[in-house]
């Protein structure tokens, strides 16, 4: 059985109203929505997730990346890996549109980052859901980022600092 081909996920953040809208038609009110010199800082509650209380996302448009982590509901729970996902970001005043390029990296911290969603990516390329230019862009972004992370000992904080982003990750 092969991977299921899903359409690209596109979401739009309205920075004025702090609302994130999804291609599925759903919307989510954001508790944090702030434009930063390096991109956009977002946080939203995840009431449907039994393990996580909220999702923290940073959009890094100059790098073509979305950085995501989930805050655990229990302070005793182990946090999962942060995820760097290749994206295309378009900004139009107060609106930030993000198109997921279906390939990313899981960065667990303390160990080597690994490529994730490769089967979904391959199925999207084979099914022509992902255009060849987007596929090439995703591969370049993910491989460049993996190389940069390896030069920074797979430490996200060190990599972000190397990239000129001095904010703490994951945010407190």
């Amino acid at each position: 059985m092969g991977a299921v081909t899903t359409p690209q996920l596109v979401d739009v953040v309205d920075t004025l109203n702090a609302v994130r809208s999804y291609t599925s038609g759903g919307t989510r009110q954001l508790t944090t929505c702030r434009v930063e010199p390096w991109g956009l800082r977002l946080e939203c509650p995840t009431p449907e997730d039994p393990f996580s209380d909220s999702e923290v996302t940073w959009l890094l448009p100059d790098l073509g990346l979305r950085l995501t982590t989930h805050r655990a509901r229990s302070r005793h729970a182990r946090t999962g890996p942060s995820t760097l996902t290749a994206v295309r970001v378009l900004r139009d005043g107060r609106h930030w549109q993000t198109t997921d390029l279906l390939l990313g990296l899981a960065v667990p911290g303390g160990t080597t980052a690994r490529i994730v969603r490769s089967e979904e990516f391959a199925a999207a390329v084979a099914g022509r859901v992902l255009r060849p230019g987007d596929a090439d862009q995703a591969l370049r972004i993910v491989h460049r980022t993996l190389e940069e992370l390896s030069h920074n000992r797979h430490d996200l904080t060190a990599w972000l600092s190397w990239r000129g982003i001095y904010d703490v990750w994951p945010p407190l």
Side-chain angles (χ1 to χ4, degrees):
M1 177 177 225
V4 175
T5 304
T6 58
Q8 280 183 283
L9 302 174
V10 177
D11 62 77
V12 177
V13 175
D14 177 339
T15 58
L16 186 63
N17 295 312
V19 172
R20 190 174 187 177
S21 304
Y22 300 91
T23 48
S24 64
T27 61
R28 183 153 294 167
Q29 188 67 44
L30 302 167
T31 54
T32 301
C33 181
R34 189 168 58 241
V35 176
E36 301 283 356
W38 43 259
L40 188 61
R41 179 189 308 255
L42 309 170
E43 185 168 355
C44 62
T46 53
E48 71 287 349
D49 188 331
F51 304 107
S52 115
D53 189 47
S54 65
E55 175 185 286
V56 178
T57 302
W58 289 2
L59 296 179
L60 309 167
D62 293 343
L63 303 177
L65 291 166
R66 177 178 53 225
L67 177 57
T68 306
T69 192
H70 290 88
R71 294 189 197 276
R73 287 196 183 279
S74 167
R75 63 185 175 107
H76 302 293
R78 287 180 26 152
T79 58
S82 294
T83 306
L84 284 159
T85 306
V87 294
R88 186 176 54 252
V89 179
L90 302 173
R91 293 176 273 190
D92 179 17
R94 72 185 219 196
H95 296 101
W96 291 55
Q97 177 180 305
T98 306
T99 303
D100 189 329
L101 300 180
L102 306 173
L103 191 64
L105 296 167
V107 188
T111 186
T112 305
R114 62 184 172 81
I115 294 176
V116 293
R117 299 175 64 197
S118 56
E119 288 182 11
E120 182 180 359
F121 175 78
V125 171
R128 299 177 192 242
V129 170
L130 197 60
R131 297 183 311 221
D134 285 343
D136 288 343
Q137 181 181 4
L139 287 166
R140 281 193 310 275
I141 289 168
V142 167
H143 286 276
R144 177 203 71 219
T145 305
L146 183 58
E147 182 178 356
E148 291 173 359
L149 277 166
S150 70
H151 291 303
N152 286 279
R153 300 167 318 283
H154 296 274
D155 179 328
L156 264 175
T157 301
W159 175 75
L160 286 166
S161 294
W162 181 77
R163 277 301 199 159
I165 301 169
Y166 301 105
D167 295 351
V168 174
W169 183 265
L172 303 172

